[in-house]
């Protein structure tokens, strides 16, 4: 399977992964053949890309996520419920938040060999909820790499899951404005960090350090962030971790004003921010969990051959297992074969290609 922007979908394509909304309701089942009406519905729902089955990607449709689909969906629902409850009833269900953080920690600790290969699909309206869950997962995985004990992982996870809770106090017209913000509007948006801290510190069962994640996640390594212009070690490490996860997930998300960046592009951007906006140590720890070439990525080798990544090597993330499908003359190979780049030092990935590039051959 591979990810295709909704604008590039065609009738007859097969949905590879079931699409859910933030309430856990199925929007479109896996295996459904797309029609013009389905494509139009996806567009109207605010989906910008989905996973599609393709014979070129045979064997890549069972990619294991780092947490189960059930846990991811339940956590998204808990985040949405808390955001809505805070807006309308002015209270949070911290017990539910802690419960989902515990589930995520347990699942991540149960199999530490799984790398992040998938990008979750979410509607524009559900962006904040899915983003919060992704940031939580990435932050906890980073904490595990850094050797955090259980209590630290819980404090980090709670702060990460609720890092954007202050946005509930921002006017929706400003928050969802498609055009450029005015100086005053941007100033108000930035206040969500302070609002988040004010909200969370009211709850005795929210660790103070978790509240500081909301307060500090927009501080920058060089002191040019907000709200207090903290720098380097004056920013708590939890917030430095969440800052990295926050930027990385935002880069991978489809947005109405731009297509998502590829994993390769996102990693390049993140690395350029090291020592300027982001803590280099936290970047290194988070990227240890990312498949540099996720399963399903189309790659061109230095031999001129073209293949599809079918598995990853955690110890050597830049050296995945590739199924070669085109020879160096871009002729389709009758019997594709797999090569493990971790065992072949002379064969390298020279660049990644798009599905559109592959379809031209």
């Amino acid at each position: 399977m591979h990810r295709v922007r909704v604008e590039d979908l065609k009738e007859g394509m097969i949905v590879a992964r079931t699409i859910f909304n933030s309430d856990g309701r199925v929007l479109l089942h896996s295996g459904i053949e797309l029609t013009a009406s389905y494509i139009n519905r996806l567009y109207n729902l605010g989906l910008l890309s989905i996973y599609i089955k393709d014979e070129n990607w045979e064997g890549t449709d069972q990619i294991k996520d780092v947490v189960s689909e059930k846990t991811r969906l339940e956590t998204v629902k808990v985040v949405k419920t808390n955001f809505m409850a805070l807006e309308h009833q002015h209270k949070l269900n911290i017990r539910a938040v802690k419960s989902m953080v515990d589930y995520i920690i347990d699942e991540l600790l149960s199999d530490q060999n799984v790398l992040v290969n998938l990008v979750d699909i979410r509607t524009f309206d559900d962006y904040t909820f899915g983003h919060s869950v992704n940031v939580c997962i990435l932050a906890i995985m980073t904490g595990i790499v850094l050797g955090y004990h259980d209590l630290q992982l819980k404090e980090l996870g709670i702060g990460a899951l609720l890092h954007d809770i202050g946005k509930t106090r921002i006017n929706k017209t400003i928050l969802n404005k498609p055009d450029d913000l005015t100086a005053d509007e941007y100033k108000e948006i930035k206040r969500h960090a302070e609002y988040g801290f004010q909200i969370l510190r009211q709850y005795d069962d929210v660790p103070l350090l978790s509240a500081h994640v909301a307060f500090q996640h927009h501080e920058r390594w060089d002191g040019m962030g907000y709200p207090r212009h903290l720098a380097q070690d004056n920013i708590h490490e939890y917030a430095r971790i969440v800052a990295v996860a926050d930027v990385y997930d935002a880069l991978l998300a489809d947005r109405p004003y731009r297509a998502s960046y590829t994993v390769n592009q996102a990693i390049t951007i993140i690395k350029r921010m090291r020592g300027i906006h982001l803590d280099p140590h936290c970047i290194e720890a988070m990227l240890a969990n990312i498949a540099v070439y996720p399963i399903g990525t189309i790659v061109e080798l230095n031999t001129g051959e073209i293949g599809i990544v079918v598995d990853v090597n955690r110890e050597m993330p830049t050296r995945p297992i590739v199924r070669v499908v085109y020879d160096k003359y871009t002729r389709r190979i009758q019997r594709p074969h797999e090569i493990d780049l971790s065992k072949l030092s002379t064969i390298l990935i020279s660049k990644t290609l798009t599905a559109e590039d592959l379809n031209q051959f």
Side-chain angles (χ1 to χ4, degrees):
M1 66 181 183
H2 66 291
R3 194 175 169 199
V4 177
R5 285 184 63 79
V6 168
E7 62 197 46
D8 296 323
L9 294 175
K10 294 179 176 58
E11 293 183 62
M13 287 182 170
I14 307 296
V15 178
R17 287 182 69 85
T18 300
I19 305 162
F20 300 89
N21 69 2
S22 57
D23 295 317
R25 184 168 59 87
V26 174
L27 299 179
L28 211 57
H29 282 282
S30 172
I32 289 287
E33 182 176 327
L34 291 177
T35 62
S37 62
Y38 279 141
I39 294 171
N40 189 53
R41 182 185 175 203
L42 291 171
Y43 182 81
N44 291 333
L45 285 168
L47 282 155
L48 299 177
S49 68
I50 65 172
Y51 282 103
I52 290 297
K53 289 188 177 182
D54 190 307
E55 63 178 12
N56 288 318
W57 278 261
E58 184 181 352
T60 64
D61 56 345
Q62 298 298 321
I63 305 172
K64 184 176 180 181
D65 201 351
V66 290
V67 297
S68 67
E69 188 172 75
K70 179 182 177 183
T71 296
R72 184 181 288 277
L73 290 172
E74 284 297 319
T75 310
V76 169
K77 284 171 64 177
V78 165
V79 173
K80 181 177 182 178
T81 300
N82 272 282
F83 269 63
M84 301 300 287
L86 192 60
E87 287 183 27
H88 302 297
Q89 301 164 11
H90 307 292
K91 64 178 181 179
L92 294 173
N93 183 350
I94 299 301
R95 179 179 294 181
V97 169
K98 288 184 171 182
S99 177
M100 295 318 303
V101 168
D102 285 342
Y103 278 122
I104 291 171
I105 291 171
D106 288 345
E107 290 194 21
L108 293 177
L109 288 174
S110 69
D111 190 353
Q112 296 181 45
N113 292 315
V114 181
L115 293 175
V116 177
N117 275 285
L118 290 167
V119 176
D120 73 313
I121 303 300
R122 53 201 172 208
T123 66
F124 174 62
D125 290 340
D126 292 339
Y127 171 79
T128 297
F129 313 128
H131 173 68
S132 298
V133 175
N134 284 347
V135 170
C136 178
I137 292 169
L138 289 168
I140 292 172
M141 293 181 80
T142 304
I144 292 170
V145 170
L146 293 174
Y148 281 10
H149 56 65
D150 192 57
L151 177 59
Q152 290 174 309
L153 292 176
K154 288 181 180 180
E155 290 175 334
L156 172 61
I158 293 166
L161 198 59
L162 299 175
H163 76 282
D164 270 342
I165 197 70
K167 287 184 177 179
T168 57
R169 290 191 181 174
I170 305 293
N171 188 298
K172 290 291 186 295
T173 57
I174 298 176
L175 205 56
N176 299 323
K177 186 179 178 181
D179 306 317
D180 292 337
L181 298 171
T182 66
D184 286 342
E185 288 170 339
Y186 182 56
K187 187 176 180 180
E188 178 62 14
I189 285 280
K190 292 199 295 185
R191 292 192 68 187
H192 80 274
E194 297 173 75
Y195 291 149
F197 181 65
Q198 291 168 8
I199 290 165
L200 296 179
R201 68 186 299 194
Q202 296 174 27
Y203 292 84
D204 293 336
D205 47 351
V206 173
L208 185 59
L209 291 179
S210 302
H212 272 284
V213 171
F215 201 12
Q216 299 180 23
H217 72 281
H218 281 292
E219 301 287 0
R220 293 294 175 250
W221 187 250
D222 61 2
M224 299 302 290
Y226 63 84
R228 293 184 291 165
H229 304 292
L230 302 178
Q232 299 190 23
D233 291 339
N234 287 322
I235 309 166
H236 194 277
E237 189 170 70
Y238 293 172
R240 303 200 305 265
I241 291 170
V242 170
V244 177
D246 184 37
V247 172
Y248 181 76
D249 184 69
L251 290 170
L252 289 186
D254 286 313
R255 305 303 287 147
Y257 47 84
R258 64 152 174 82
S260 64
Y261 290 93
T262 65
V263 170
N264 247 213
Q265 290 170 331
I267 289 174
T268 299
I269 293 169
I270 287 284
K271 286 182 175 179
R272 286 175 182 166
M273 298 173 79
R274 62 183 297 147
I276 304 170
H277 293 304
L278 303 173
D279 179 349
H281 186 51
C282 293
I283 288 177
E284 183 180 344
M286 191 201 74
L287 293 182
N289 297 301
I290 306 297
V292 180
Y293 300 103
I295 295 172
T297 301
I298 308 164
V299 295
E300 182 176 316
L301 305 175
N302 61 345
T303 59
E305 297 168 304
I306 294 169
I308 296 166
V309 175
V310 294
D311 206 353
V312 294
N313 291 304
R314 185 174 182 93
E315 299 306 315
M316 300 181 71
T318 62
R319 314 286 292 163
I321 297 172
V322 176
R323 179 185 298 142
V324 179
V325 291
Y326 289 92
D327 64 21
K328 63 181 179 180
Y329 304 108
T330 66
R331 295 178 303 202
R332 184 66 185 257
I333 296 173
Q334 292 300 314
R335 293 185 178 180
H337 59 280
E338 295 180 5
I339 55 175
D340 186 343
L341 297 186
S342 68
K343 299 176 181 176
L344 300 167
S345 60
T346 60
I347 300 180
L348 307 170
I349 292 175
S350 57
K351 64 179 178 180
T352 59
L353 302 174
T354 66
E356 289 69 31
D357 294 329
L358 195 62
N359 290 334
Q360 291 176 3
F361 301 143

